[in-house]
Amino acid sequence: MTQELVSLTIIMAVAAVSPIVAQLIPGKFIPQTVLLLAAGTALGPYGLGVIEVNDAVKLLNELGMAFLFLLAGYEIDPKRLAGHQGKVGLLTWGITLGLAWPVVTFLPFFTKQGINGVATVIALTTTALGTLMPILKERNLEGTPIGDAIISYGTWGELGPILAMAILLSTRTGWQTMLVLGAFLAICLLCAMLPTKALRTGHRLYRFLTENANTSSQTLMRLTTFLLIFLVTISALFELDAVLGAFAAGFILRYIIPDGSKSLEMKLEGVGYGFLIPVFFVVSGAAINVRAVASRPALLVAFIVMLMLIRAVPVYVALSLDKRKNPLSSHHRVTVALYCTTALPIIVAVTSLAVKVGTMQSDTASTLVAAGAITVFLMPLLGSITYQVADIHPVTAVREIAHTPSDWRTIVREHAQVRALLHHQDRLKRMAETLKSLEKQEGLNGLDSRRAELVERARLEIDRQLKELGLDPQLTTQLPHNYRYPKN
C-alpha cells in the first residue's frame, strides 16, 4: 500500500504543478495535458521509475478515462448530431474510415511495420473531443463558429471509433456481436427513459433527488457516478471496451438534462479534472517506452502525417464544400481540421485492446500512443496559429503592400487592429447573449444593468472604429470573419 500511495502522491504533485507551469509559459501555447503526458513519460517505468503503475493506479487510470469520456459524451447535444453539420460530420468520418482502410491494408510501409490491422485503421480516424474541450474553453473558442464546427466534426471523430471498436475488434461472431450490442443498447435506453419519465411526471423520488442535490447527500452526483460505473461494469461483463460504457453514460446524462446543470457540471469537472483525469494522462504518459519510440522514428512521423492526411484533409474538404451552411474562411477551415486531428484517448484504448488480444506489439503501441500525445500538443498549436493568422488576412495584406509599398506600416497596423476589434466583438456578442438569457430567467439587477450599459458603449465604440477603417459594422456583426478591407 505504501508504494501505491507514493505513486499517487507523485502523480497528484504533477497534476498540481502542471497548470502553474502552463500559465508561466509565454503565450500559453502548451496545454496542461501535454505537460501531464511528458511528466508521466519522464517519471514512469521507462523513465526515472518513480511512478509505479500498480493495480491501484491502474484502477484510478481506468476511472480517469471513464470520467474523460463521460464528460465528452455529456458535451454532445443530440440536436447537433441530428442537425445539418452533425450529418456532414458523420459522412466525413465515414469517408475517413473508407480512406484509412485501404491505406493501412495495402501501403507497404504499414505492412512492414506489422500494423496493417483494424486497430490502426480506427486510430487514424479519431478525434480526442474529451481532450479538446478544456483546450477550447482555455482559448475562448467555445460557442464560436470555429468551436461549434470542431465539436460537430469531433463528435463523430470520437463516437465513430468507439462504435467501430465494439464491432470490428470483437472476438465474437457477427451475430453474437450485434446481439451483445443490442442488449447493451437496451440497458442504456432503460437508464435514459426511467429518469426522464420521473422528471416529466414530477415523481416524489425526483423531487427528493433535486432537493438534496446540493446537500451532504449529493444525490445527483452520486447517481451520475453510479450510472457511469454501472455502464462501465456492464461493458466489462459484455466484454466491450470501458470507453463505450463511459461515453454512453455521458450521452444519457445529456439526454436526461438537455439544458444542462451548472451545479452538476461543476462537481463532475471538479472530480474529473481535479483528480481522476490528470491520473489518466500521467499514466498514459508512463506507458510510453521512450527507447522503443526512439528506435522507430519513421513510424512515429509517418503515423502523424497519415493522421493529418486521412483525418484533417476530409474535414477541410467537407467544410469547403459546405461553405453556404458554414461560411468559414480558408484559414478557419484549416483551424477546424487541425483541431479535429488531435488524437490520444482512443489511441490509448484501441492499442491497449490490440496488445491484449495479441494483434499488436507493445513497442508499436508505445509509438502510436506517443504519436497521439504529440498531436495533443502539435495540432492545437498549429490550429491556434492559423486561427490568429486568419483574421489578419495575410494574403490580402501582401497584395495591398505590393500595390502601395510605402504604406506597409499603416496596412499592417490596420489589419492587426481589425483582428483585435473582431475578437472583442465576438466576446461582446457572447456577453450580450448571456445577459439576455439572464434577463429572461431572473431579471437584471443593478450590477447586470451596468454591465449591459458597458457592453452597449463598447459596441458603439467598435462600430465607430470599424467605420473609420472603411468597414460596414452590420456586415461584420453578421459575419465576424468575412469582412472586407478598404481598397488603397
Side-chain angles (χ1 to χ4, degrees):
M1 180 61 72
T2 303
Q3 183 56 50
E4 285 87 343
L5 289 173
V6 169
S7 295
L8 185 58
T9 300
I10 296 169
I11 290 171
M12 292 317 299
V14 169
V17 170
S18 292
I20 300 172
V21 174
Q23 184 72 21
L24 293 174
I25 295 173
K28 304 176 188 176
F29 65 94
I30 300 181
Q32 297 176 32
T33 304
V34 174
L35 298 177
L36 294 171
L37 290 164
T41 304
L43 301 175
Y46 301 107
L48 298 176
V50 294
I51 294 176
E52 182 181 313
V53 185
N54 43 51
D55 289 342
V57 173
K58 285 180 181 177
L59 177 60
L60 290 175
N61 173 58
E62 289 291 321
L63 288 174
M65 184 169 65
F67 255 85
L68 182 68
F69 281 97
L70 168 76
L71 292 171
Y74 181 73
E75 290 290 346
I76 296 173
D77 184 354
K79 294 178 182 177
R80 190 190 297 273
L81 286 178
H84 172 78
Q85 203 167 48
K87 292 175 182 176
V88 175
L90 172 60
L91 178 62
T92 304
W93 181 80
I95 292 170
T96 302
L97 183 65
L99 288 172
W101 204 293
V103 166
V104 171
T105 305
F106 300 112
L107 198 68
F109 175 81
F110 285 102
T111 305
K112 289 178 182 177
Q113 297 291 333
I115 55 169
N116 56 338
V118 177
T120 309
V121 171
I122 295 172
L124 285 170
T125 67
T126 183
T127 296
L129 184 63
T131 306
L132 280 176
M133 288 310 301
I135 296 174
L136 296 181
K137 290 176 183 178
E138 287 172 14
R139 297 181 178 178
N140 296 316
L141 288 174
E142 193 178 27
T144 66
I146 305 293
D148 290 344
I150 292 169
I151 292 172
S152 292
Y153 285 87
T155 293
W156 285 109
E158 189 117 69
L159 180 57
I162 289 172
L163 295 174
M165 284 172 61
I167 296 170
L168 300 176
L169 292 179
S170 174
T171 55
R172 304 182 181 90
T173 59
W175 70 268
Q176 289 176 329
T177 300
M178 291 302 154
L179 188 65
V180 168
L181 286 174
F184 180 78
L185 178 61
I187 292 171
C188 290
L189 289 174
L190 190 64
C191 291
M193 297 306 295
L194 288 178
T196 306
K197 188 175 180 180
L199 187 152
R200 288 174 180 170
T201 58
H203 194 275
R204 278 187 301 173
L205 177 60
Y206 170 74
R207 291 199 300 273
F208 171 79
L209 293 174
T210 53
E211 287 169 2
N212 290 273
N214 295 313
T215 66
S216 58
S217 299
Q218 293 294 320
T219 47
L220 289 182
M221 184 63 188
R222 293 185 188 185
L223 273 178
T224 301
T225 308
F226 166 72
L227 174 68
L228 172 64
I229 295 176
F230 172 69
L231 289 180
V232 168
T233 303
I234 293 295
S235 298
L237 292 173
F238 285 0
E239 296 182 3
L240 299 169
D241 197 89
V243 168
L244 181 61
F247 199 82
F251 198 75
I252 290 169
L253 188 61
R254 171 59 71 181
Y255 177 79
I256 297 170
I257 317 172
D259 297 325
S261 168
K262 290 294 181 185
S263 174
L264 181 61
E265 289 166 22
M266 287 180 66
K267 293 167 189 174
L268 289 172
E269 289 179 356
V271 174
Y273 293 119
F275 176 33
L276 293 170
I277 293 175
V279 173
F280 165 69
F281 282 120
V282 172
V283 174
S284 296
I288 297 173
N289 185 339
V290 180
R291 291 178 183 173
V293 174
S295 66
R296 306 178 76 177
L299 176 59
L300 180 74
V301 174
F303 189 79
I304 294 173
V305 171
M306 294 310 298
L307 263 173
M308 296 182 72
L309 292 175
I310 290 175
R311 183 66 183 142
V313 172
V315 171
Y316 178 84
V317 172
L319 285 167
S320 300
L321 295 175
D322 197 33
K323 282 176 68 176
R324 184 171 296 179
K325 291 283 185 179
N326 303 291
L328 298 176
S329 69
S330 59
H331 293 82
H332 288 154
R333 294 197 294 274
V334 171
T335 298
V336 174
L338 287 170
Y339 271 101
C340 286
T341 313
T342 304
L344 179 67
I346 292 289
I347 293 179
V348 172
V350 76
T351 53
S352 298
L353 190 57
V355 170
K356 190 182 295 184
V357 298
T359 58
M360 185 180 289
Q361 296 180 352
S362 58
D363 287 356
T364 303
S366 279
T367 305
L368 299 190
V369 170
I374 290 171
T375 66
V376 175
F377 163 69
L378 184 62
M379 300 308 169
L381 174 62
L382 295 176
S384 179
I385 291 171
T386 57
Y387 179 69
Q388 292 179 29
V389 167
D391 287 336
I392 299 174
H393 275 208
V395 175
T396 308
V398 169
R399 287 175 182 169
E400 292 178 0
I401 292 170
H403 186 260
T404 53
S406 59
D407 293 338
W408 72 270
R409 288 187 180 86
T410 304
I411 293 168
V412 170
R413 186 175 65 253
E414 285 184 351
H415 279 248
Q417 188 178 1
V418 170
R419 174 187 170 275
L421 286 170
L422 290 171
H423 278 234
H424 283 304
Q425 198 171 49
D426 284 345
R427 293 192 191 99
L428 286 168
K429 185 179 178 181
R430 289 198 293 272
M431 284 175 65
E433 288 173 353
T434 303
L435 288 168
K436 190 175 180 180
S437 64
L438 285 171
E439 188 176 16
K440 286 180 179 178
Q441 294 172 9
E442 303 170 1
L444 292 173
N445 56 33
L447 178 60
D448 289 331
S449 297
R450 286 193 292 274
R451 278 184 64 198
E453 186 180 348
L454 244 137
V455 169
E456 186 58 32
R457 286 183 181 178
R459 185 181 288 113
L460 291 172
E461 176 62 19
I462 283 179
D463 287 352
R464 184 187 66 77
Q465 292 187 41
L466 288 172
K467 287 176 181 176
E468 285 183 1
L469 287 168
L471 302 174
D472 183 352
Q474 294 301 318
L475 179 61
T476 53
T477 299
Q478 293 168 10
L479 297 172
H481 303 298
N482 286 1
Y483 50 84
R484 57 180 178 80
Y485 283 98
K487 293 184 178 180
N488 296 321

